[in-house]
Amino acid sequence: WFAHSDAVNWRGDFAQYAARHEHFRQAVLEHGEFPERSHLLGGGYPIIGDPEDPSMSPLVLLTVICGTLTGLKLIVLVCMLASAVGTTILLRCVLQTRAPPAVFAGMLAALVPWIPYRFTDGNPNEALVGFVPLALAFFGLSLQRRAWVIALAAVLYVVLADGKQIFVVLVALLGLVALLRALPLSLATKATTSSAYGAPRGLMLRRLSQALALAFIVALPRLVPAFELIADSGGLAHMKLHFHAPQYSTSTIHAFTPSRLAGDLAMLRAAKAGDLVSAGLGIVPLLLIAAAALWRLRRACGLLFIALLAAWLAMAHRAPLDLFAPLWKLPLFNAVDAPDKYFGGPMLLLLIIVAGLGADALWARLVPCGGAWRRCAMTLCVLAALFSVAQLWLHTRAIAADAFSKPLPAVAVEQVPFQQVKSAGLWRGRFEPLASNTYVNVLRGVGTIDWYTGIPLAENAIAKDIVQADGAVQRNPLWRGEAWFVDGGTVLQTDISYQHMEVRCDGRGGHLVLNQNFHKDWRVEGLVTEDHAGLLSVRVPPGTATIRFEYASSALRIGLALCCVGFILLGVLLVQQRRDGAVGNLARAVLR
């Protein structure tokens, strides 16, 4: 990934996410603005409400500091590291395994092909599935000490802030863990009571609720604009999406076949170009899962059940009984058309955790042995572990090598004066022609009206150029400029930026129209903005030579206000709890 820093992933999905990160980076570094809106996307798009906008994700700092291409690669490496660290902590500190099996499982989690494959497929934010083991680890630790709720909330916020349904799947997974009591409260003693092997269900649900509440309070400035945007596109229950069919059918829902899933898990196909296995695990981890079912069933049964349920959902209509169809009718889940993609990653990571329990059981049986038998058995186990790690490493390398093929032509990213383009009815998920590629156009300072977004909103702006399938560019005869008067004056100059637009005219006044989508949050001091066929307009009185438009997202400010209120209420609750605790301690001391 880092050998050729200027090489890009030539897949349409990658252009979508790279454009978002590059857009934020330019706004912050080159213009000193936090972008609440974009003039480069969709003809004027409230970018802060886009569910897949990374502006409020802590991980976006990597792209700001290191550049878009390098930053996106680093984000995926962070996800791989989070997978390794989370798996190791979960096994060692929560499930109370020995160090070698926990480290081995952590190495498997770091190298599981699923995470880099999501990046190779062009979706770096789907690599956030790597935070699943870390969330489980912090969830388990929060059962022992409440302060870990903050760490769990931080992980939940990171996953939530970058959008997509991975957050929904993660919360559902944690909810199942709580309901099934799949994480122990303490395994430090050899107690035989069930309470030693499963934390009280009420405590688990309480800790999860606390973490979710804290994450949502922090995320309110992110969520309120997103809900506003989703409401304009049908709402959560009936969300309209560009790339998702409105009905559930075998042709619109992508799922694993049972034979394909089993073959991929065992990695029976070679790692070669065009035949890369994303759901790869290998024979050794599968044998260790069997060992866990045999020797650690009490600890592993909850996690193993959830992993098998995730595998079943990933098969959707291809399974003997379709469990995903009723789930698809629920809000948020109805935006999932690829259950194999959203349930496959958690399934693999949970199976690796169970394999770690199996490795620990095997280790426990080998350590007490002595003599040549122990040395022989240990040697075989080490060789099997090295083989398993090497197998995943080689496959992950093959996947990574397929991610970035060649750099963009220098001429394609040269800066030009602001204008807007649109394709001649081409599919939105395009990478070529480069003249209508969203990421390339953000680099050039050009707006792409029919950009690669999931939520369809108004795209009323008039493109200056129309890009054909062969890359040819034709001037649009309907284009009248980026600002014009319906009657009256003449526009002399137009400056368009993220939250500011300034138009200079000859002072004769009239009905001024800007070639940007109308939005209620635009303001002009002393004047009233109007909707003119979906475009932003204002009535300019005679004698006015400069008109300055200011954009401020009301939804963002409502979210910030609610966030502050939430933290105030949280502080009051904590103070009240401490005071009640002090009063209770005093009362008990008096009664004694």
Side-chain angles (χ1 to χ4, degrees):
W1 288 351
F2 297 95
H4 304 286
S5 59
D6 57 345
V8 299
N9 186 327
W10 282 64
R11 291 168 176 83
D13 281 4
F14 180 81
Q16 175 185 10
Y17 298 111
R20 286 172 166 84
H21 281 262
E22 179 64 26
H23 178 273
F24 181 80
R25 185 174 181 274
Q26 287 187 12
V28 171
L29 295 185
E30 298 180 16
H31 300 276
E33 296 185 60
F34 181 88
E36 302 174 24
R37 168 198 171 271
S38 172
H39 60 295
L40 298 173
L41 305 172
Y45 189 87
I47 190 68
I48 196 67
D50 182 7
E52 296 177 87
D53 178 62
S55 299
M56 294 193 183
S57 170
L59 298 177
V60 78
L61 293 175
L62 292 174
T63 55
V64 171
I65 296 170
C66 304
T68 296
L69 296 180
T70 301
L72 288 174
K73 297 170 186 176
L74 289 173
I75 287 173
V76 178
L77 288 181
V78 167
C79 294
M80 296 171 70
L81 181 62
S83 179
V85 172
T87 301
T88 305
I89 294 175
L90 178 63
L91 285 166
R92 187 76 179 103
C93 302
V94 179
L95 298 175
Q96 300 290 324
T97 66
R98 294 158 183 82
V103 172
F104 168 65
M107 294 175 67
L108 295 182
L111 297 174
V112 66
W114 190 269
I115 298 175
Y117 189 86
R118 303 274 39 96
F119 191 27
T120 299
D121 196 40
N123 297 270
N125 59 353
E126 291 175 3
L128 290 173
V129 72
F131 281 89
V132 166
L134 199 59
L136 287 170
F138 290 154
F139 188 27
L141 291 172
S142 71
L143 304 176
Q144 303 170 19
R145 188 175 179 183
R146 188 171 58 181
W148 286 101
V149 168
I150 298 175
L152 175 58
V155 172
L156 290 173
Y157 174 76
V158 169
V159 179
L160 172 63
D162 221 7
K164 283 240 170 181
Q165 286 75 21
I166 292 175
F167 175 77
V168 181
V169 174
L170 174 58
V171 172
L173 187 155
L174 293 173
L176 281 174
V177 167
L179 291 173
L180 297 176
R181 300 168 68 200
L183 291 179
L185 180 61
S186 174
L187 288 172
T189 61
K190 295 183 178 180
T192 57
T193 59
S194 60
S195 61
Y197 289 89
R201 188 175 292 112
L203 174 64
M204 299 187 78
L205 291 173
R206 190 161 60 250
R207 291 289 183 263
L208 178 57
S209 299
Q210 291 167 349
L212 281 172
L214 186 56
F216 275 115
I217 289 174
V218 176
L220 279 170
R222 169 86 173 88
L223 294 175
V224 175
F227 287 147
E228 180 186 62
L229 204 65
I230 291 171
D232 291 338
S233 186
L236 286 174
H238 306 285
M239 199 183 310
K240 301 181 181 70
L241 299 170
H242 275 304
F243 308 109
H244 297 257
Q247 72 281 347
Y248 186 98
S249 69
T250 56
S251 60
T252 58
I253 302 297
H254 307 286
F256 281 116
T257 62
S259 59
R260 175 63 182 265
L261 181 57
D264 281 8
L265 285 173
M267 296 186 71
L268 299 179
R269 294 187 290 119
K272 57 184 180 180
D275 193 24
L276 299 172
V277 177
S278 61
L281 204 56
I283 294 295
V284 172
L286 292 178
L287 292 175
L288 292 174
I289 292 169
L294 180 64
W295 293 320
R296 291 285 191 272
L297 183 59
R298 197 170 187 179
R299 296 192 202 182
C301 61
L303 296 176
L304 185 58
F305 172 79
I306 297 172
L308 294 177
L309 177 61
W312 198 282
L313 290 171
M315 292 186 288
H317 54 83
R318 300 181 185 274
L321 175 65
D322 190 352
L323 298 180
F324 182 67
L327 191 64
W328 187 82
K329 297 178 181 179
L330 299 176
L332 297 178
F333 285 103
N334 59 9
V336 175
D337 67 347
D340 54 349
K341 183 167 64 173
Y342 288 102
F343 294 102
M347 170 202 68
L348 284 171
L349 294 170
L350 288 172
L351 289 177
I352 287 174
I353 293 166
V354 175
L357 289 173
D360 183 66
L362 186 61
W363 186 273
R365 278 157 176 76
L366 290 178
V367 168
C369 299
W373 159 247
R374 178 185 175 183
R375 288 194 296 272
C376 180
M378 283 290 188
T379 302
L380 289 176
C381 287
V382 171
L383 290 176
L386 291 175
F387 168 77
S388 181
V389 171
Q391 186 182 27
L392 290 181
W393 166 254
L394 292 174
H395 199 87
T396 299
R397 276 182 59 89
I399 289 173
D402 192 51
F404 298 90
S405 53
K406 58 183 178 179
L408 295 168
V411 66
V413 294
E414 291 179 350
Q415 284 281 327
V416 298
F418 174 74
Q419 61 180 10
Q420 299 188 79
V421 301
K422 188 175 183 179
S423 75
L426 303 180
W427 183 56
R428 288 175 179 265
R430 60 188 179 266
F431 194 91
E432 295 181 288
L434 294 180
S436 66
N437 179 300
T438 307
Y439 171 59
V440 171
N441 282 342
V442 169
L443 291 173
R444 301 168 62 212
V446 171
T448 308
I449 295 177
D450 58 334
W451 68 305
Y452 191 6
T453 180
I455 296 182
L457 293 176
E459 295 174 342
N460 300 308
I462 302 170
K464 179 180 180 180
D465 292 327
I466 306 296
V467 183
Q468 306 296 321
D470 60 359
V473 178
Q474 295 181 353
R475 181 57 51 88
N476 184 1
L478 300 178
W479 183 74
R480 299 180 60 180
E482 296 306 318
W484 70 88
F485 280 94
V486 176
D487 52 35
T490 301
V491 172
L492 303 177
Q493 183 178 340
T494 305
D495 295 318
I496 297 178
S497 186
Y498 299 91
Q499 274 88 255
H500 309 281
M501 295 190 293
E502 188 172 280
V503 179
R504 296 180 183 177
C505 55
D506 59 6
R508 288 189 293 161
H511 188 187
L512 175 66
V513 179
L514 270 77
N515 193 28
Q516 293 282 307
N517 294 326
F518 173 81
H519 196 281
K520 59 183 177 58
D521 288 334
W522 279 109
R523 296 288 183 270
V524 178
E525 185 177 357
L527 301 176
V528 178
T529 57
E530 300 177 4
D531 185 336
H532 177 79
L535 298 178
L536 180 63
S537 70
V538 68
R539 305 281 178 171
V540 180
T544 303
T546 301
I547 306 96
R548 183 175 175 81
F549 294 78
E550 301 276 351
Y551 181 89
S553 171
S554 57
L556 174 62
R557 278 137 188 86
I558 291 172
L560 288 170
L562 291 175
C563 179
C564 293
V565 171
F567 274 113
I568 292 172
L569 292 176
L570 184 62
V572 171
L573 288 174
L574 289 175
V575 171
Q576 183 69 30
Q577 187 180 40
R578 286 182 177 275
R579 187 172 63 183
D580 291 345
V583 172
N585 291 334
L586 179 61
R588 283 190 290 271
V590 171
L591 290 174
R592 287 198 192 99

